[in-house]
Every structure is written in C-alpha cells, then in structure tokens.
Amino acid sequence: MTKNIVLAQGNGGEENAELISKIFYKHFKNEILAKSEDAAIIDGGRLAFTTDSFTVSPIFFDGGDIGKLSICGTCNDLAMMGAKPTYMTCAVIVEEGFSVEELEKIVRSMKKELEINGAMIVCGDTKVVPRGSVDKIFINTTGVGVVQKSGISSNSVSEEDVIIVSNEIGKHGATIFANREGMEFSSNLQSDCTSLWPLVEKLLSEGIAITAMRDATRGGVAAVLNEWAKQSKVCIEVNEEAIPVSDDVRGICEILGFEAYNLANEGTFVLAVKRSDAERAVDVLKTFEEGVKASIIASVTHQYDGRVLLLSPWGSKRFMDLPTGELLPRIC
Amino acid sequence: MSSLELKDLYDGFRNPEVIKSFQKLIAVEAKKLERTVNIMEVCGGHTHTIMKYGLTQLLPENINFIHGPGCPVCIMPKERIDHAYTLAMQEDVILLTLGDMIKVPGSHGSLQNARAKGADVRYVYSPMDALKVAEENPTKKIIFFAIGFETTTPMSAALLDVVIKRGIKNIFFHINHVTVPEVMKELIDSRDEHVNSYDHRIDAFIGPSHVSVISGSKIYAVFPEHYRIPVVVAGFEPVDVMEAIYMMIKQFNEGRSELEIQYKRLVTHEGNLKAQSLIEKYFEKVDLFKWRGMGNVPNSGLKLRDAFAAYDAEVLYKEVLPYDEIDDHKLCICGDILRGFAKPQDCSVFGTACKPSSPLGSCMVSSEGACAAYYKYGNLL
C-alpha cells in the first residue's frame, strides 16, 4: 500500500478494498463487520444499520443532486439487506460561502426521497468550515431499517442461483463524468439515482427467493460480482450480450475507454435469485420504470471459484476483474 | 455528437456473425501455412483488442502474436517520469498530462504520489484543455507533459499554435512524442538474438490505424520493400483485427509481402497533410530518444524546434531537471516484453509483486500495456 492516501483508494475497487481491510477492518475487527455486507445486521437480526458519506462533483447533476443521492444511497444499502428504511441521521459539512438557496434545494431533495422510502431524519449535525476545506458540501447519512426478510447475504450465492441486474448499468458514473467534464454529446443521459426500496418491497411481497442483493455503486457491477464470487467462493459466468447498457453510456465508454460494468450506479442493483424464481423476478422488476430493462445476466458455477467470467457473443471468454486505480480516460 | 453516431462507430465491427465468419476463413488459410507465423501488433491498443475480445481463443495455434512496443506510457523511461515529477513539485506549477501517465512510477514515485504530496497534477482529455486551465490560473505556470506517438503529436502542435497566436504566456511544454516506424526498424535492425531467433521472429506487423490516419500508410512502406515483412494497417475493433489477420495470412500463402490497409474507412497512403505540416512546423527529430527497456533508439523522438525554446519546459527548467541514467527494476522484464521476446507470464513478478494496483513496471501501469491486458482479461487458454 502507498505511504500517502491516493485517490485510487476511494474507487470502490481493489485499492479501496485493500485500504479498508488493512486499516479499518484490522483495528475494528468484529463478527458483524467481517460479514462485509451493504448494511450491518444487528439486534439479533431484527435491524439493519448502515452509514455513507456523499462527496460528489458536480453537486447538481442530470437526474439528481447530492441531497437525493445521500438518502437513496443509505436507504438502498438497507433495502439490499431486505430491510425497510425507518430512522436516519444527517450530518452536513458545508463550506463558508455556500449558497443558502442551494442548501435548501438539496434539503428539499432529501425530504422528497425520504417520503418515497417512508423514513425520517431524527437527528443530525451541521458544521461550517473555511472555504477550501471541503469541496462545497459533504453529507453523511446513517440509516436504520427493519429487516423484512432475513438471510439475504452476499456470502450465500450458490449454483442454484442466477444473477439479475435490475436496469441498464453505468448511468450514474457516465453522467457524472459527462457533467463534470462538460461533454455535450450526452444530452439524453441521466443518472439512475433512485430509491430501490419500493422495488425490493414488491419482490419480497411476491415471495421471490432472493439469495443476495447489492446496489452496484462505486466499482459498478464488476465490483459486486467479484465480491460475491470471492465471498461465496463461486464462479459467476456473465453472458456479455445480456448486460443491459444504454447507447449513451456505451458511447461515453467508447470515447473514454471505459467499461460500463466498472461505472457507478445509484439506482441499479444486482440480485442473486433462485433459478426457479428468476423469470418472475424480472417480470416484477419490469413493472417499475426503474427496472424496465431488468435482465438475467449470469449463471453461477465452480469453473473458476472466486472469479467472474465474461462470455462473449462469438464464443471467447475472459475474466471480468475488479476495477483498479482511478478511472482515467484513455490516451489515444 | 449524437448517441446514434457513436453507436455507428462500433456497432457493425463487433458483429458476432462477422467475427465467426473471419474465424472460419482464417482457419482455412492457416491450414495451408508451412509453419507458425509470428505477428507483432506494434500498438498496445491492438494487444488490448486481442485480449479483451478473446481473439487468440478463436485462432489456430500456428498464429502467434508478439506484443510490441507501441504504448506511450509503457515506453516512457524513468528519467522522463522524474522530469515530470520534478516539474510538478516546482512552485506555482500545474502539470497536465494524459490519462494513465499519472500512475507510472519514476524513481521518486508517480505523478499520483506527487499529487498526494500536494503537487497540482491534472489529467486532460485533450491538450486543448490546457487553455482553460491556463485562463483560470493566470498566476500559475501550466506545463503540458506531452506524450504519445504520431496520433497525439498533432494536438500538441495545435496547442502550441494557439498559444503563440493568442500570445498566451503561461503554457509550456515538456515533449516526449515518439514515432512508430523507427522503433519497428530498431526491432529488426538491432539483430537481437532473441527477436531474430526462429521462435520469436517477426513475420508480419499489424500497423496501428490511428497512427496512419495522421501519417498515412506510407510510413510502413519500408517494411515490405526493404525487409520483406508484410504490414497490414488495421483498426481496433474485433472485426478489424480478424480481417487484418486474414489479409496477412493470405499474403503468406500467396507468397506476397505488401503494405495493405484494412482500415480503409479513414486511412490513406498520404495521411493528414495538414497535421503533418503542423508537426513539421513546430517539432524536429532528436538524435536519440531513450525507450524503456529498449535503450536509445535513433531518430525516434521529437522535440520543439529551437525557435520555440521559450515554450520548452525542458529548456526553462534545465537547472532543476535530473539527468542521471536510471536502471529499471531488476525483477521487471518490461524491456523484454516491449521488444517482443517475452510474454507477461514469463515475468517472475507478474500478478504477484507486480499488479495494476502496485505496478513495478510500466507495462502493468498503462491500460494499453501488455501486462495490464494479461492481468485484466486473463489468459484462459
């Protein structure tokens, strides 16, 4: 590991995982943390508990803003454990000189998203720091959810499961890139930033046998699948043609040399579902606007345990690895 | 650019049926070959296409790829990275470069490490982005650490052109542009015992199409004419590479040694004459340019002409720039890989001490590098 923290260690990929395990897991070691789930399951399995900090640039982007993101992100982590979001905290660190009007706009976004999840902010904190100490505004939210279905775990994926993605992938990452760099060709592109609890609630009420769920945030779908393959000691074989990717995202990937499955999502999740329930799960997801492109993308085998295989439409195969380093545009 | 146009860029060129058709055609031709044919893909972009799309898995065993030296990040010697690092650490400097360059370790660390220590290092999508940075930071010196082959050189020249015409006073250049044909000649003329042994002989080159969009296919004419080595200038989509391989093997079976263009949709014999004249106006050849792992290659690098020394960071900062020769890491065989006589798996530290997250050598750093391609996509055969 490097002597000083570098940006790549926050990428949701390999360097990020190394930093977490060698510094935080090492000193905070306990059984709950070691499970490495989206949210910790506490109180004898009754509650899910999670926290997340949001530092996005630009703070207002196509399809959302940092406020919406700060509620979706934390509530989605709870939803991924089969838990209904209930109580939340909100801590804001804001730079001197930040516009009050924009702050209120952000908070209104948060309120709207809280209503969708049926959750409320019950305590919080506000800090104002000198200009330049933070990039405009940082928000941390912590959430507690009541577990509706226990046993959902990324450590339990098996050959009986198939893998589904809930919608087109990479939209958030591509949008942020496009907005940050002022790329004008992506006018149709919007972040997928959305709350996933309504989709999860419906899947649970339909009795879908869900083994694992994870929202594919930093590190994208590739990071989720690699974590599952390692944690569950299985091989995930992805049918490349079945991965839903919009033309806009594909276009950005072509120009900059990215892979859509490495780009972040904020309203798209990956599910491991018992094979017998897979088609039904896709049908349920497709009843939502946010799940209209849901697709079965992979099967689970033991061909290369701990690895993710990508099967091309012309019969070749390769590994789909964890993203490494900062996402940097290609040179030529 | 609309999304429809973007889609058109790749859609037909990844058509599974077309790829499978070429696979069949190649198989038929390959049966007629008398021995294994060693094809060097000069450019790292082709290496990545071959690995990313699993093309080796579609080809018969008597077609062997040799990975070449064509990656602007991989070939950068530590001495030049130390220049970038030193420049970045100077007061009031913003150092700009392209993508992966910020990750390559020099002897003090990478530009990424310099940034973690407080240096202002930024990557740009295009050299022209320097104009905005310069405008927003009028009290800073903006140094563009220019890298790349014929493909990126015109943009550096175009930036200098704008800087001069607008009278911009705070943009400077550190030039590391290199040229493809000279290093290809070096691979053959060096008479390296490994390169020229039977197993590693370069029988044919796949020429990078983006280089020829600028310089034309003419730059490769010497290889079939003088060395009797066929060259096919090819695009980077899987269909392009499969077609180029088919064209090459046909040349072998028909006893031909020619320069052919697969990528006819943009490449001409003459290339982009306007870009070429812009390069000619601002740049001249250096006698020797050091390539990582290959040493000094004659006439393979460019520098700013003396008339433009006022914009040359290498001149302006010559008092602080280090000039000592630096050896590569003892265990790293990037040099052998770039010369085409070793494959990534031949390296004792591949995937262990040397990984994309902790690279020892440049071939693992760059997203165009052969080691990165092998590590990322795996060699499943």
Side-chain angles (χ1 to χ4, degrees):
Chain A
M1 205 160 56
T2 54
K3 284 184 185 159
N4 301 88
I5 298 294
V6 294
L7 272 178
Q9 284 164 325
N11 66 352
E14 202 172 307
E15 295 89 340
N16 195 203
E18 188 191 26
L19 179 73
I20 291 169
S21 71
K22 288 194 176 165
I23 304 288
F24 296 105
Y25 278 31
K26 182 177 125 192
H27 294 288
F28 294 153
K29 203 172 184 180
N30 63 65
E31 273 181 27
I32 301 172
L33 186 67
K35 287 204 166 69
S36 193
E37 304 278 9
D38 267 4
I41 298 300
I42 56 171
D43 194 28
R46 204 175 65 83
L47 298 177
F49 186 38
T50 191
T51 190
D52 213 335
S53 297
F54 298 87
T55 62
V56 64
S57 175
I59 53 176
F60 297 95
F61 49 85
D62 292 330
D65 58 56
I66 192 170
K68 182 180 182 185
L69 197 60
S70 71
I71 300 300
C72 291
T74 293
C75 288
N76 288 350
D77 281 349
L78 297 170
M80 292 302 104
M81 298 306 291
K84 181 188 177 339
T86 53
Y87 301 111
M88 297 184 74
T89 71
C90 164
V92 175
I93 302 175
V94 63
E95 185 183 41
E96 179 185 26
F98 191 78
S99 141
V100 172
E101 191 186 337
E102 287 196 341
L103 181 62
E104 194 166 8
K105 197 173 159 193
I106 289 167
V107 174
R108 266 197 231 107
S109 267
M110 294 175 78
K111 183 186 171 195
K112 194 173 159 194
E113 218 55 34
L114 283 162
E115 283 164 4
I116 292 169
N117 284 280
M120 60 175 126
I121 301 280
V122 290
C123 56
D125 180 51
T126 311
K127 295 277 188 294
V128 179
V129 293
R131 188 189 281 267
S133 303
V134 296
D135 184 9
K136 297 185 180 73
I137 183 170
F138 292 170
I139 302 178
N140 171 276
T141 56
T142 297
V144 174
V146 179
V147 175
Q148 309 291 302
K149 182 179 184 307
S150 58
I152 293 176
S153 167
S154 45
N155 296 292
S156 310
V157 179
S158 78
E159 281 178 293
E160 292 170 29
D161 297 311
V162 295
I163 310 292
I164 296 169
V165 288
S166 66
N167 214 349
E168 288 172 328
I169 66 169
K171 283 185 169 177
H172 181 73
T175 304
I176 293 299
F177 245 102
N179 283 183
R180 192 185 297 162
E181 309 300 341
M183 291 180 187
E184 286 163 13
F185 54 77
S186 54
S187 55
N188 298 324
L189 192 61
Q190 282 214 328
S191 167
D192 61 342
C193 181
T194 198
S195 290
L196 294 170
W197 172 246
L199 285 73
V200 173
E201 187 178 35
K202 182 77 173 164
L203 287 166
L204 294 178
S205 73
E206 292 286 331
I208 303 290
I210 299 168
T211 304
M213 287 189 285
R214 183 160 286 186
D215 52 343
T217 53
R218 277 173 319 155
V221 168
V224 174
L225 296 181
N226 272 283
E227 280 160 17
W228 286 3
K230 282 191 182 69
Q231 285 178 251
S232 299
K233 299 180 181 64
V234 292
C235 175
I236 296 177
E237 297 193 21
V238 183
N239 176 8
E240 194 173 1
E241 246 180 337
I243 305 173
V245 186
S246 74
D247 287 345
D248 291 305
V249 170
R250 218 183 276 275
I252 286 200
C253 287
E254 282 306 310
I255 285 179
L256 300 178
F258 296 155
E259 308 259 30
Y261 46 72
N262 286 339
L263 293 179
N265 308 271
E266 286 296 344
T268 299
F269 64 119
V270 186
L271 305 87
V273 172
K274 289 283 170 281
R275 196 177 293 119
S276 53
D277 277 5
E279 296 290 346
R280 210 154 54 85
V282 169
D283 290 343
V284 170
L285 288 167
K286 284 188 170 177
T287 62
F288 292 85
E289 195 186 331
E290 299 87 349
V292 77
K293 298 279 184 181
S295 168
I296 298 171
I297 61 160
S299 58
V300 182
T301 68
H302 285 292
Q303 203 187 347
Y304 297 93
D305 279 350
R307 302 295 301 263
V308 181
L309 268 186
L310 193 64
L311 311 175
S312 83
W314 44 84
S316 64
K317 56 189 178 180
R318 66 171 164 108
F319 291 123
M320 179 199 274
D321 260 327
L322 267 179
T324 58
E326 280 177 68
L327 276 182
L328 294 170
R330 69 162 149 232
I331 294 164
C332 52
Chain B
M1 196 183 288
S2 77
S3 58
L4 185 66
E5 288 166 340
L6 285 170
K7 198 167 182 286
D8 290 343
L9 288 177
Y10 59 82
D11 223 21
F13 307 108
R14 292 179 202 167
N15 184 318
E17 294 315 310
V18 179
I19 293 171
K20 285 177 189 168
S21 300
F22 275 119
Q23 182 185 14
K24 282 178 196 155
L25 289 170
I26 291 168
V28 171
E29 288 293 327
K31 273 190 186 153
K32 301 179 205 162
L33 290 170
E34 290 168 3
R35 62 170 177 84
T36 295
V37 170
N38 298 307
I39 300 170
M40 174 173 272
E41 77 276 5
V42 181
C43 174
H46 280 137
T47 308
H48 265 254
T49 301
I50 289 163
M51 296 302 293
K52 180 177 174 182
Y53 299 108
L55 301 186
T56 45
Q57 298 165 41
L58 307 181
L59 299 172
E61 281 183 1
N62 57 354
I63 295 173
N64 180 42
F65 288 111
I66 304 173
H67 311 307
C71 159
V73 170
C74 299
I75 60 93
M76 199 63 68
K78 277 189 179 171
E79 288 87 344
R80 307 296 287 182
I81 296 160
D82 285 356
H83 276 204
Y85 188 97
T86 305
L87 291 172
M89 295 305 260
Q90 300 303 306
E91 212 170 313
D92 292 331
V93 161
I94 299 176
L95 188 104
L96 306 180
T97 191
L98 300 176
D100 287 343
M101 198 60 233
I102 71 167
K103 294 193 287 188
V104 191
S107 46
H108 308 298
S110 63
L111 287 170
Q112 208 169 29
N113 298 131
R115 192 176 59 185
K117 287 181 185 165
D120 196 341
V121 175
R122 306 178 191 183
Y123 65 83
V124 289
Y125 295 90
S126 147
M128 288 299 169
D129 296 346
L131 296 171
K132 192 170 171 230
V133 179
E135 194 181 345
E136 287 170 356
N137 298 277
T139 61
K140 303 268 184 172
K141 295 185 181 73
I142 316 302
I143 299 179
F144 180 58
F145 188 74
I147 62 165
F149 291 87
E150 287 85 341
T151 328
T152 54
T153 312
M155 288 304 286
S156 297
L159 175 63
L160 179 56
D161 201 51
V162 174
V163 166
I164 290 171
K165 282 177 180 158
R166 290 193 197 164
I168 297 167
K169 299 289 178 209
N170 63 333
I171 295 182
F172 305 94
F173 295 78
H174 187 284
I175 300 297
N176 302 275
H177 287 302
V178 286
T179 51
V180 169
E182 284 69 23
V183 78
M184 288 165 68
K185 279 184 213 159
E186 177 74 8
L187 285 168
I188 307 166
D189 289 338
S190 69
R191 293 287 159 210
D192 187 295
E193 59 178 305
H194 298 285
V195 173
N196 289 293
S197 69
Y198 181 80
D199 287 344
H200 299 284
R201 193 168 70 188
I202 302 165
D203 292 311
F205 288 111
I206 302 183
S209 57
H210 53 359
V211 165
S212 284
V213 169
I214 304 297
S215 303
S217 62
K218 63 184 181 219
I219 58 169
Y220 303 119
V222 63
F223 298 100
E225 284 169 13
H226 181 71
Y227 297 100
R228 306 291 301 155
I229 296 178
V231 177
V232 176
V233 179
F236 292 97
E237 292 295 338
V239 167
D240 294 327
V241 174
M242 292 297 276
E243 186 179 11
I245 293 164
Y246 174 63
M247 290 164 74
M248 250 169 222
I249 303 179
K250 277 194 74 160
Q251 285 205 35
F252 277 99
N253 286 334
E254 291 165 12
R256 291 184 288 123
S257 173
E258 293 172 10
L259 169 59
E260 292 184 303
I261 303 172
Q262 178 277 332
Y263 196 78
K264 287 187 179 138
R265 52 196 192 272
L266 278 177
V267 170
T268 61
H269 183 70
E270 289 304 320
N272 183 332
L273 296 175
K274 194 175 166 194
Q276 289 168 29
S277 76
L278 206 56
I279 293 170
E280 181 62 25
K281 181 175 177 187
Y282 292 113
F283 295 105
E284 63 182 335
K285 289 268 185 180
V286 287
D287 293 340
L288 293 171
F289 188 91
K290 184 176 177 186
W291 293 56
R292 184 181 285 233
M294 301 190 64
N296 289 314
V297 179
N299 300 316
S300 65
L302 298 175
K303 71 178 194 71
L304 287 180
R305 290 187 181 277
D306 290 344
F308 308 105
Y311 302 94
D312 194 336
E314 223 171 325
V315 174
L316 298 174
Y317 288 90
K318 69 177 175 206
E319 301 299 328
V320 295
L321 293 177
Y323 288 97
D324 294 337
E325 291 271 319
I326 304 163
D327 291 332
D328 283 333
H329 194 285
K330 278 181 193 152
L331 293 174
C332 173
I333 63 163
C334 277
D336 293 353
I337 293 166
L338 291 168
R339 275 190 287 176
F341 61 80
K343 290 206 170 177
Q345 308 94 314
D346 300 333
C347 179
S348 63
V349 289
F350 174 76
T352 53
C354 185
K355 294 195 287 189
S357 55
S358 55
L360 290 180
S362 53
C363 296
M364 188 62 93
V365 174
S366 167
S367 58
E368 309 269 310
C371 293
Y374 272 71
Y375 185 88
K376 187 172 179 191
Y377 303 126
N379 193 358
L380 294 173
L381 285 181

